[in-house]
Amino acid sequence: GNIFKDQGLITVIGYFLGSSSVVMFATTRTVINGGYQLMTMINHAVWPEMSIAYGKNNMELARKLHSSAFKATVVLSILFAVGLFFTGEWIIKTWTLGKVMVSPVFLNLMLATLIANALWYASSMIPIAINKHEKITVYYMIVTGLSLLNSLWIIPLLKLNGAALVSLGIHLLMSYYVVRTALTMLDEHFPGFLRSLVTLRS
């Protein structure tokens, strides 16, 4: 799935748009990857606690862990995106000594991709922590594979903005499936989960 999403998309960009567009896409994605590292830190911190809670059938604790991780991941991704919204173009220009310039629309679409990824990244920790991630793996491969095929007409039409939209679509589709799957595993209904996100829990 990652090969489809990452290297596959880079290959399509290179074929239709050329090496300069590959550099622009890869450079922007590298800068934004700092936000993904924040998500990974949260997931790795909560992962063992989730395994223990689920193993003890302590679903109340498991739900609290999920809600807390979800809120932290989304809030941090939004803060990171807001920071790059104001500084991203300058960072990329300074880092590349002015050789890479990105359009604001493309950068903003990539930042939206970061936030969309946060919507499912924390929830993916649930099936992984309890070793029940097979269906999500298959779904991820299907979504990324079909998205790569769609990129064959979207990228020539919309250029780098199309590549960003393909990435955004992947994460939105994953968000719908993964969050729903995680809530089913935790025996939690979506309205209750939403309430937990806007209320303080002890």
Side-chain angles (χ1 to χ4, degrees):
N2 285 338
I3 290 174
F4 290 149
K5 179 175 69 71
D6 297 329
Q7 294 307 120
L9 205 54
I10 286 289
T11 301
V12 175
I13 292 171
Y15 181 81
F16 286 108
L17 305 181
S19 58
S20 60
S21 294
V22 170
V23 172
M24 290 176 64
F25 184 83
T27 302
T28 304
R29 190 170 63 181
T30 299
V31 171
I32 291 176
N33 276 346
Y36 294 110
Q37 298 307 312
L38 294 175
M39 299 181 202
T40 301
M41 288 171 54
I42 296 171
N43 258 21
H44 285 186
V46 177
W47 185 339
E49 300 299 325
M50 177 61 68
S51 298
I52 294 171
Y54 196 90
K56 292 181 176 180
N57 200 31
N58 189 345
M59 302 309 291
E60 182 180 356
L61 176 58
R63 294 185 196 109
K64 287 182 178 181
L65 289 169
H66 177 223
S67 175
S68 298
F70 191 96
K71 284 189 286 189
T73 300
V74 172
V75 169
L76 284 177
S77 70
I78 291 174
L79 291 176
F80 191 86
V82 169
L84 285 184
F85 176 82
F86 292 105
T87 65
E89 291 180 65
W90 175 81
I91 290 174
I92 293 172
K93 180 181 178 180
T94 303
W95 178 32
T96 62
L97 302 179
K99 295 180 180 179
V100 176
M101 306 289 289
V102 297
S103 73
V105 174
F106 170 64
L107 178 60
N108 292 339
L109 285 173
M110 292 295 285
L111 292 176
T113 298
L114 171 67
I115 297 172
N117 180 261
L119 295 177
W120 70 273
Y121 195 78
S123 293
S124 70
M125 175 261 303
I126 310 300
I128 293 173
I130 64 177
N131 200 28
K132 292 183 178 180
H133 54 280
E134 296 89 349
K135 291 183 179 179
I136 287 180
T137 302
V138 173
Y139 183 81
Y140 183 61
M141 291 177 63
I142 292 173
V143 167
T144 53
L146 292 177
S147 296
L148 182 60
L149 290 176
N150 283 330
S151 72
L152 296 176
W153 67 268
I154 294 176
I155 289 177
L157 182 64
L158 300 176
K159 311 302 180 185
L160 281 180
N161 291 343
L165 285 172
V166 169
S167 296
L168 179 60
I170 289 173
H171 292 304
L172 290 177
L173 289 171
M174 290 300 298
S175 295
Y176 170 77
Y177 182 76
V178 174
V179 172
R180 187 180 66 172
T181 299
L183 293 180
T184 299
M185 291 178 172
L186 296 176
D187 194 24
E188 184 172 20
H189 298 295
F190 192 70
F193 175 63
L194 286 181
R195 285 194 298 271
S196 73
L197 296 179
V198 297
T199 57
L200 294 177
R201 277 178 159 174
S202 57

